[in-house]
Amino acid sequence: MNEEINVVSLIGVGFLGKQIAEKASLKNYTIRLYDVNAEDLDKYSEELRMKKKTEGEVTSHNSIEEAIKDADLIIEAAPEKLELKRELFTIIGKAAQPNAIIATNSSSIPVSKLEDVVEQKDKLLNIHFYNVFTMPMADIMRGTKTSDDTFERGKKWVESIDITPLIVKKECYGFVFNRVWRAIKKEVLKIWAGGYADFEDVDKAWRIFMGAGLAPFELMDQVGLDVVYDIEMSYYKKSGWDDDKPPQALKDFVDADNLGKKTGKGFYTYK
Ligand SMILES: NC(=O)c1ccc[n+]([C@@H]2O[C@H](COP(=O)([O-])OP(=O)(O)OC[C@H]3O[C@@H](n4cnc5c(N)ncnc54)[C@H](O)[C@@H]3O)[C@@H](O)[C@H]2O)c1
């Protein structure tokens, strides 16, 4: 346990927020949860309390202000929409304790894009997790005014929950490894949507080439195709290049609620 951080609040408790909460709860941190979907949140926090093997408490809250009032670290893990994250950071900035670190788990938005809505600009961080239990690493990136103290405390906390920190030395869209993954994702989507090959064949080739592991279309299904689409749109909005625009065929999946594992159908079908 990192002694400077005791209470960790998660704002947005979906696919990733849940994993972060669970991992931190195993290390005795006090976990506070807030999500707009209150019904699911209550069910989930009860599950987490049952699963936990440590002393720290897990509580769910009806407002962001309540959920963060005694937090030393706040991690926002709401959908990948810049305007939504700016709204959340505005509320968080006003209600957080002065020394609290405010981090976003965004996959593509540098925290500098959220800086102007909070006073405590020195406390901001990108802490970008991957799948917490199968890919235990997290990119850590500063905003333009993040202090060394914030960066070090954030890094130590990540290490304290047995996650390897990936230090981003200067602002980079896609951080460290997500940038590599993004290049792969962009190309395989183009191959599939352009009708050049079936996604199953791309995944098959990947497994042979890499020796094993989760293949790109399988991984996108796991991440959630709505999340993948929003991330790709975020890169596209940044560059404005047509080449970065995600294919319409991916949007069609999202519109049809074929979001991957979470809805039972994406590229693959799940029982
Ligand atoms: N899915 C992944 O593999 C993955 C990996 C790394 C980072 N991320 C990033 O994590 C963030 C969340 O992604 P996810 O996959 O967990 O998405 P998700 O859709 O599973 O979860 C988002 C959660 O945010 C909640 N939410 C929506 N509006 C809210 C609001 N105004 N206030 C509080 N909660 C709100 C939703 O109810 C939902 O529970 C995104 O920024 C994404 O880029 C995702």
Side-chain angles (χ1 to χ4, degrees), residues 14-16 35-36 77-80 84-85 105 107 128-129 223 227:
F15 185 61
L16 248 285
D35 194 289
V36 274
E80 190 75 346
L84 171 64
K85 290 187 190 288
N105 181 49
S107 301
H128 168 254
F129 289 88
V223 167
V227 178

Side-chain angles (χ1 to χ4, degrees), residues 1-10 20 24-25 27-32 56 70-75 97 99-103 123 125 127 129 140 148-161:
M1 182 150 172
N2 177 331
E3 291 186 357
E4 294 165 58
I5 292 175
N6 295 305
V7 179
V8 180
S9 297
L10 267 299
I20 301 166
S25 78
K27 293 288 179 180
N28 212 11
Y29 289 102
T30 295
I31 309 296
R32 312 245 183 262
D70 62 348
D72 305 302
L73 169 63
I74 301 152
I75 303 177
Q97 298 195 91
N99 206 34
I101 297 175
I102 308 174
K123 300 293 186 300
L125 272 183
I127 303 184
F129 289 88
I140 308 197
D148 289 346
D149 176 63
T150 298
F151 195 83
E152 273 311 304
R153 284 197 294 143
K155 176 171 165 273
K156 269 197 209 156
W157 179 76
V158 165
E159 287 168 337
S160 79
I161 59 165

Side-chain angles (χ1 to χ4, degrees), residues 36-162:
V36 274
N37 189 340
E39 202 181 309
D40 271 11
L41 183 64
D42 285 344
K43 215 183 302 161
Y44 172 69
S45 40
E46 186 52 37
E47 264 172 45
L48 197 56
R49 277 191 283 270
M50 309 276 287
K51 249 193 225 175
K52 247 169 52 68
K53 299 177 190 88
T54 56
E55 294 298 312
E57 42 171 313
V58 178
T59 55
S60 56
H61 299 269
N62 294 326
S63 72
I64 294 178
E65 288 84 350
E66 265 300 307
I68 68 171
K69 68 178 184 210
D70 62 348
D72 305 302
L73 169 63
I74 301 152
I75 303 177
E76 168 275 315
E80 190 75 346
K81 312 261 190 222
L82 177 61
E83 277 318 306
L84 171 64
K85 290 187 190 288
R86 288 173 63 81
E87 280 167 32
L88 293 173
F89 265 59
T90 306
I91 302 169
I92 294 169
K94 287 186 184 135
Q97 298 195 91
N99 206 34
I101 297 175
I102 308 174
T104 176
N105 181 49
S106 169
S107 301
S108 60
I109 301 167
V111 78
S112 66
K113 301 284 173 237
L114 310 171
E115 256 172 19
D116 61 313
V117 300
V118 301
E119 290 286 322
Q120 56 276 54
K121 304 182 196 319
D122 59 321
K123 300 293 186 300
L124 303 186
L125 272 183
N126 280 99
I127 303 184
H128 168 254
F129 289 88
Y130 294 74
N131 188 311
V132 171
F133 292 97
T134 59
M135 301 168 192
M137 58 186 183
D139 299 294
I140 308 197
M141 188 170 87
R142 296 164 190 267
T144 66
K145 309 224 161 25
T146 305
S147 69
D148 289 346
D149 176 63
T150 298
F151 195 83
E152 273 311 304
R153 284 197 294 143
K155 176 171 165 273
K156 269 197 209 156
W157 179 76
V158 165
E159 287 168 337
S160 79
I161 59 165
D162 301 333

Side-chain angles (χ1 to χ4, degrees), residues 218-248:
E218 283 177 311
L219 183 49
M220 283 189 271
D221 267 0
Q222 185 179 302
V223 167
L225 299 186
D226 51 342
V227 178
V228 170
Y229 180 78
D230 286 344
I231 294 169
E232 293 307 297
M233 280 305 288
S234 162
Y235 286 117
Y236 171 54
K237 281 180 193 156
K238 156 84 171 39
S239 72
W241 297 338
D242 279 352
D243 189 54
D244 279 344
K245 193 171 180 183
Q248 179 59 36

